């Protein structure tokens, strides 16, 4: 009886670990080569399984794409969570620029983000739920960090932290779309830095930029 109860649990754990490896391998491939240029067979080969084995875990390339985006959002949230709790307001705005530079190190994932965000407009799609949750969490976390700046006196007391958070995220996401359309010729990090500097001049007590 003991062995029979361990079997399913062991199989479940193996399945979870295998899915994680597939997602991580796909994220790496998509990041460097792009979604459309990456074959499922290459990802399966990276993991050491057949393409059929991969499709056992993800019914299609589209399902794998959503899993990769969820992985990206989770990794991004963990990165923001590691931001020092004593970071001041300008530090948080500088972190927006640093986050953009991290995205640029994985250009294929920017392309994926733009691709799936368009699908998220359909309320019946799986992408809609994923992105709705992502925006809610991202706005809440960035607003929380900005509020620490208000509480610490490095941002003006009348700063609407939620509104600033929404604006910063909207600008960042919109610029990623423009970056993709321009085929990478837009200075994405520079544009985000310019916006963050403008925000800093508005919300810091002395009106100083970054």
């Amino acid at each position: 009886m003991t062995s029979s109860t361990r079997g399913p649990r062991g199989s479940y754990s193996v399945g979870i670990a295998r899915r994680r490896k597939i997602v991580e391998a796909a994220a790496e491939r998509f990041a460097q080569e792009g979604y459309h240029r990456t074959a499922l067979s290459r990802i399966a080969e990276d993991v050491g399984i057949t393409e059929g084995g991969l499709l056992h875990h993800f019914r299609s390339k589209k399902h794998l794409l959503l899993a990769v985006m969820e992985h990206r959002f989770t990794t991004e949230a963990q990165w923001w969570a590691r931001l020092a709790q004593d970071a001041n307001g300008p530090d948080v705005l500088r972190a927006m620029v640093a986050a953009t530079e991290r995205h640029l190190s994985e250009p294929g994932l920017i392309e994926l983000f733009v691709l799936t965000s368009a699908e998220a407009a359909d309320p019946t799609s799986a992408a809609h739920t994923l992105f709705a949750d992502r925006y809610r969490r991202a706005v809440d976390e960035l607003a929380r960090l900005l509020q620490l700046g208000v509480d610490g006196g490095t941002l003006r007391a009348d700063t609407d932290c939620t509104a600033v958070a929404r604006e910063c995220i909207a600008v960042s996401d919109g610029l990623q779309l423009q970056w993709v359309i321009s085929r990478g010729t837009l200075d994405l990090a520079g544009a985000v830095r310019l916006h963050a500097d403008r925000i800093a001049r508005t919300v810091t007590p002395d009106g100083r930029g970054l």
Side-chain angles (χ1 to χ4, degrees):
M1 183 173 181
T2 302
S3 60
S4 65
T5 57
R6 286 180 179 174
R9 291 179 182 174
S11 299
Y12 179 77
S13 298
V14 169
I16 293 296
R18 179 64 54 80
R19 283 176 62 90
R20 183 171 61 250
K21 287 184 178 180
I22 292 171
V23 171
E24 290 173 350
E28 185 173 347
R29 284 285 181 185
F30 291 163
Q32 301 306 322
E33 300 175 11
Y35 173 72
H36 294 293
R37 294 182 294 278
T38 301
L40 288 179
S41 58
R42 295 292 300 277
I43 298 171
E45 183 180 341
D46 290 341
V47 182
I49 60 176
T50 64
E51 184 174 341
L54 186 153
L55 291 172
H56 171 74
H57 295 281
F58 298 96
R59 288 181 291 167
S60 67
K61 191 176 182 181
K62 187 175 181 180
H63 284 86
L64 180 55
L65 166 61
L66 290 176
V68 168
M69 288 313 305
E70 184 174 9
H71 174 70
R72 184 206 187 200
F73 293 158
T74 299
T75 301
E76 191 174 70
Q78 290 170 344
W79 183 83
W80 277 99
R82 288 194 295 270
L83 193 66
Q85 293 302 304
D86 59 349
N88 59 38
D91 285 342
V92 175
L93 294 173
R94 292 188 191 97
M96 291 290 299
V97 182
T100 301
E101 291 170 341
R102 289 178 68 251
H103 292 160
L104 284 168
S105 70
E106 300 177 316
L109 292 186
I110 300 179
E111 179 185 338
L112 289 189
F113 172 77
V114 171
L115 181 67
T116 51
S117 63
E119 184 180 344
D122 178 0
T124 65
S125 72
H128 177 83
T129 301
L130 177 63
F131 273 69
D133 182 66
R134 178 258 179 175
Y135 277 112
R136 178 180 59 80
R137 291 175 181 272
V139 169
D140 288 349
E141 177 62 12
L142 185 53
R144 184 187 70 81
L145 291 170
L146 291 169
Q147 185 61 50
L148 293 176
V150 172
D151 296 341
T154 58
L155 295 182
R156 289 174 43 153
D158 61 351
T159 300
D160 186 335
C161 296
T162 298
V164 172
R166 287 192 184 281
E167 178 180 338
C168 287
I169 293 169
V171 168
S172 174
D173 290 359
L175 287 171
Q176 288 183 69
L177 169 61
Q178 294 184 46
W179 182 87
V180 170
I181 292 175
S182 73
R183 297 185 177 181
T185 59
L186 171 71
D187 180 3
L188 179 57
V192 171
R193 185 179 297 107
L194 183 65
H195 175 258
D197 181 73
R198 182 181 67 77
I199 291 293
R201 293 177 186 280
T202 301
V203 299
T204 53
D206 56 4
R208 183 178 300 179
L210 298 181

